[in-house]
Each structure stands twice: as C-alpha cells, then as structure tokens.
Amino acid sequence: MKKRLILLTIAVMLLTIVTVAFVGCDPEEEVTGLALIQQQYNDIVTAKAIVQSITIKSGEITQFESEKTYTKTDDGYTVTGTEKKFNGVDKLFDETPINETVQKAVDAKPTLNLNEMYFEGDYRLSETGLTANVKQANVKDVFGATGELKAPTDNLMLEMSVSGGHISSVRISYDSEGSHVVITLTMTY
C-alpha cells in the first residue's frame, strides 16, 4: 500500500512539473530585434508580387539594368521584365525581354542571414526597419555564400523597410571594381 502511495505521489509530482513546464512555455513568445526582421524577411514568400531592380553604373554610364516582376500564381511565379546590357557599339544597349514561369522566386529573394556581429557598430534597427553597413569580412556570411564571390564587394550597405508587419523593401548597395551596384526588392502582399 505504501508503494502505491509513493508511486501515486511521484506521478502527481511529475504531472505537476510537466503542467508547469507547458504553462511556462509561451508558444507565441514575442520575437524582437534582428530575429523579427529575419522572420519577416523569410516571410517574403507570402508576397503576391516581388519587383527586383538591379542597376550597375560606372560613373554616369549604366552598364547593366534589370527589372523583373515575380507575380505569384497557383503553381509558382510568372516573371516579366527586361534586362539591358551596355554594348557601346552601334546601339547603347542590348535589351532582352523576360517572360517566363518559375517554381520559386529564388532569384528575387536572396539568402539573408542577419546577425549583429556581421554589421559595423553604427547599424540602426527600429520598428520601421534596418540600416546596416556589412563588415567586409562577413559579406559571404550575410548572404550565405560559399566559395569565392564572382566579384569583389566594398562598402556594402543593407537597408530593409518594414510596413504593416511585413518587409516592404530591401535595398543592397555596394561598390565593385569601380562600379556601383544597387539591388532593390519591393514587395506587395
């Protein structure tokens, strides 16, 4: 009889501990700071449309321009837009129209790993977004790149705007071998 009472007491104690542990865990714990911006960035896949603009300039000369719109469909994305490359020969640009369907908007939404250790000390984080200069040694870390970068990057600036609980735009700008590169993503939800 005493064994049953001891086992019953232990069982009640274990049940109490488990109950307290579950009550103490808030499944909707508030996410703040960079973790919130990261979560919002990862949720870009819920956007109805993503407009991706890329401009590469050397001084006043535009070497490359691309504007693509990724519009969500039932089975992927419809991609429309144009790419212009400077050729400087008989006409200034070779222009290529873009009209395709893809399964994922991978090209529109690059990998992004946000960690305050990757940013210069003067980065700004607020409820409206993030502005940060990425440390040169951490460019590959921020973008999840492996191997060598195709082109060197200097002075990489990352700007993210938040509106209505979603990332509304991302702007990445940097210098590379005398050219200035600007990549902008604008989302519609």
Side-chain angles (χ1 to χ4, degrees), residues 4-167:
R4 282 188 187 174
L5 186 57
I6 291 172
L7 287 174
L8 183 61
T9 303
I10 291 172
V12 169
M13 288 175 58
L14 286 174
L15 185 59
T16 303
I17 291 169
V18 170
T19 303
V20 169
F22 278 117
V23 170
C25 295
D26 184 2
E28 294 184 25
E29 186 176 314
E30 186 175 345
V31 179
T32 59
L34 284 176
L36 178 60
I37 297 283
Q38 181 73 62
Q39 184 179 27
Q40 291 169 331
Y41 180 76
N42 293 341
D43 288 342
I44 286 177
V45 295
T46 65
K48 294 177 187 172
I50 303 170
V51 176
Q52 176 197 61
S53 299
I54 301 172
T55 304
I56 302 173
K57 288 187 172 190
S58 179
E60 294 298 314
I61 298 173
T62 301
Q63 299 167 310
F64 179 82
E65 280 184 334
S66 171
E67 182 150 326
K68 297 178 184 178
T69 301
Y70 292 74
T71 306
K72 191 174 249 184
T73 63
D74 290 336
D75 55 343
Y77 291 84
T78 300
V79 184
T80 56
T82 58
E83 284 187 354
K84 296 178 183 178
K85 294 179 184 175
F86 180 74
N87 77 14
V89 186
D90 52 349
K91 57 183 178 175
L92 288 180
F93 290 99
D94 290 328
E95 189 169 331
T96 306
I98 299 167
N99 191 0
E100 60 187 3
T101 301
V102 296
Q103 296 297 315
K104 296 179 180 179
V106 173
D107 291 339
K109 180 189 163 277
T111 298
L112 193 61
N113 300 312
L114 303 178
N115 185 323
E116 66 183 28
M117 294 183 338
Y118 299 158
F119 305 141
E120 298 292 344
D122 60 347
Y123 77 92
R124 290 175 298 175
L125 177 65
S126 70
E127 64 276 352
T128 60
L130 168 70
T131 301
N133 288 310
V134 177
K135 291 178 182 176
Q136 185 64 35
N138 296 109
V139 170
K140 289 170 55 173
D141 299 317
V142 170
F143 296 102
T146 57
E148 291 300 313
L149 297 175
K150 291 182 180 180
T153 60
D154 292 313
N155 304 317
L156 194 139
M157 171 73 77
L158 173 63
E159 300 169 90
M160 302 174 77
S161 297
V162 175
S163 178
H166 295 286
I167 297 291

Side-chain angles (χ1 to χ4, degrees), residues 167-182:
I167 297 291
S168 56
S169 68
V170 177
R171 184 176 191 270
I172 301 164
S173 61
Y174 60 92
D175 297 320
S176 181
E177 297 181 331
S179 295
H180 185 69
V181 180
V182 177

